[in-house]
Amino acid sequence: MEYTTLGDTGTRVSQLCFGTWRFGKESDGTVETDREEAHELLDACWDHGINFIDTANVYGDPNGTSERWIGEWLEDRGHHREDLVLASKVYFPFDGRGEPGPNDSGLGRKHIRAQIEGTLERLGTDYLDLYYIHRWDEDTPIRETMRTLTELVREGKVHYLGASSMAAWKLTKALWESDVEGLERFDVTQPMFNAADTDDVSDYLEVCAEQDIAVCPYSPLAGGFLTGKYERADDGSVVAPDGARGTLTDLFEDRYTSETAWEVLEAVESVAEDVDATPAQVSLRWLMDQDRFTCVPIVGARTADQLAENVGAVDLELSAEQFERIDAARGPDDDGYR
């Protein structure tokens, strides 16, 4: 495993982050990753040198299950807390203690304070390395949110702050508020960003580049689309192998399989053939090779074999021509981002 500095922080993380949103998650009555499987995947992360683990207070059914299983794994295996970089999130309604109440969501001081305590207890730790706001809260002044998060940093409960999906102007507003008020600022972001993504995130990424903010994109393989396991039928629909995400949600085709996405997949597969790698490895390497900001993809492998394949991206090298071939299929703008 290779390690990189997380943006403008002093913390070094593995070039891949492991995402645990499937831990305890129920889909149509089936648990996608049960406790035993979760611990096996965390064991595989440890063996591969992945030290960066991503979770959220609302991951799992009931909410909090993912954090709890990670905490139990740490205790069961006897790993030293300092050997891991743990990230969690706050914003969404939390049902881990029953039906959410009026203050069980958002980014107000009361909710953040309650949720950080629950997160730390479930993880079995005194602090988080990284704490994200999971979304922007339209109902709470960003000043209150940043002041509360700053208190957590100064109390030693959180090391760094992160922001997930939001508009570029909102990220800029939060950074401005922090600078003017002398508060802690966001050091890491977590947008949906991948080679096949056709949503315009160029402004958001431009802010990250200018402010030296690390980018840890979720869905780096476009929900599995960029693994090459999906095919296009004559009528334009997606043919998915049994058990693939394309068979689990009606949103898959709308979200991931645009005309541009198919062109990107073709380019990715051609590069994969050139370098004797898999499409998944090429897609992850393309993200890691972003040169205007630190980019650490969050992989959500379902098996140890899938994780091993993902880790293979670390040793892969793409030439400038191969990188640009994928960019050309995306139709990049003047800054190199869609």
Side-chain angles (χ1 to χ4, degrees):
M1 177 56 62
E2 299 290 334
Y3 298 86
T4 186
T5 302
L6 192 62
D8 198 30
T9 77
T11 295
R12 292 183 62 78
V13 297
S14 48
Q15 286 192 314
L16 292 175
C17 176
F18 183 67
T20 64
W21 70 275
R22 285 197 183 96
F23 286 11
K25 175 180 173 60
E26 291 189 11
S27 297
D28 297 327
T30 301
V31 176
E32 293 196 23
T33 301
D34 63 26
R35 184 180 184 277
E36 181 178 355
E37 292 168 334
H39 284 191
E40 289 174 354
L41 284 166
L42 291 169
D43 286 339
C45 286
W46 181 269
D47 292 341
H48 286 296
I50 294 176
N51 73 338
F52 193 8
I53 307 296
D54 179 88
T55 187
N57 63 332
V58 293
Y59 288 172
D61 297 302
N63 294 165
T65 298
S66 175
E67 291 177 328
R68 181 164 52 82
W69 288 357
I70 294 170
E72 291 169 353
W73 172 78
L74 275 169
E75 183 177 7
D76 291 348
R77 301 301 191 264
H79 295 315
H80 200 290
R81 169 66 180 88
E82 292 302 318
D83 290 331
L84 292 172
V85 177
L86 297 179
S88 193
K89 311 178 188 72
V90 61
Y91 169 76
F92 287 110
F94 181 80
D95 69 7
R97 62 182 184 88
E99 187 68 22
N103 292 302
D104 284 338
S105 65
L107 298 176
R109 178 173 277 105
K110 184 174 180 64
H111 186 233
I112 291 175
R113 281 288 184 176
Q115 290 308 307
I116 188 62
E117 296 302 332
T119 285
L120 295 178
E121 180 180 358
R122 288 185 292 272
L123 287 169
T125 182
D126 295 328
Y127 71 95
L128 278 179
D129 295 282
L130 176 59
Y131 203 28
Y132 289 99
I133 61 169
H134 215 155
R135 291 293 187 273
W136 182 269
D137 186 352
E138 300 286 355
D139 298 322
T140 301
I142 189 61
R143 180 183 290 108
E144 176 177 334
T145 298
M146 299 312 298
R147 282 178 174 172
T148 306
L149 294 173
T150 296
E151 292 167 3
L152 298 183
V153 173
R154 294 175 181 174
E155 292 168 9
K157 294 181 178 180
V158 172
H159 284 171
Y160 303 111
L161 305 180
S164 190
S165 300
M166 65 179 66
W169 71 266
K170 293 178 179 178
L171 176 59
T172 302
K173 179 178 180 179
L175 294 171
W176 180 86
E177 190 71 45
S178 292
D179 291 345
V180 169
E181 297 290 336
L183 303 173
E184 296 293 326
R185 71 202 316 261
F186 294 126
D187 287 303
V188 185
T189 60
Q190 190 178 131
M192 188 175 81
F193 175 44
N194 57 65
D197 185 18
T198 57
D199 288 337
D200 189 351
V201 294
S202 58
D203 289 346
Y204 189 92
L205 296 177
E206 187 67 22
V207 174
C208 295
E210 291 297 325
Q211 296 294 316
D212 200 10
I213 297 174
V215 177
C216 296
Y218 71 91
S219 196
L221 299 178
F225 176 76
L226 286 171
T227 65
K229 65 185 177 183
Y230 297 97
E231 298 180 359
R232 198 175 196 181
D234 292 339
D235 62 0
S237 62
V238 180
V239 179
D242 290 343
R245 190 174 304 161
T247 64
L248 297 177
T249 172
D250 294 334
L251 296 176
F252 183 86
E253 292 187 43
D254 292 337
R255 188 172 193 181
Y256 297 116
T257 58
S258 65
E259 187 66 34
T260 298
W262 287 109
E263 294 176 8
V264 169
L265 179 59
E266 183 177 351
V268 166
E269 289 177 330
S270 72
V271 171
E273 185 175 355
D274 289 349
V275 297
D276 192 25
T278 67
Q281 291 169 338
V282 169
S283 299
L284 292 172
R285 188 72 250 180
W286 180 84
L287 286 169
M288 287 186 276
D289 284 348
Q290 300 294 316
D291 61 2
R292 299 198 62 201
F293 47 78
T294 305
C295 190
V296 181
I298 301 174
V299 295
R302 302 181 72 171
T303 68
D305 287 343
Q306 286 180 354
L307 183 62
E309 178 187 354
N310 292 165
V311 171
V314 173
D315 296 324
L316 191 63
E317 292 185 7
L318 301 184
S319 68
E321 183 279 327
Q322 290 163 341
F323 184 92
E324 291 166 4
R325 194 187 314 171
I326 297 171
D327 262 0
R330 300 182 79 242
D333 59 18
D334 292 340
D335 295 320
Y337 306 122
R338 170 172 287 281

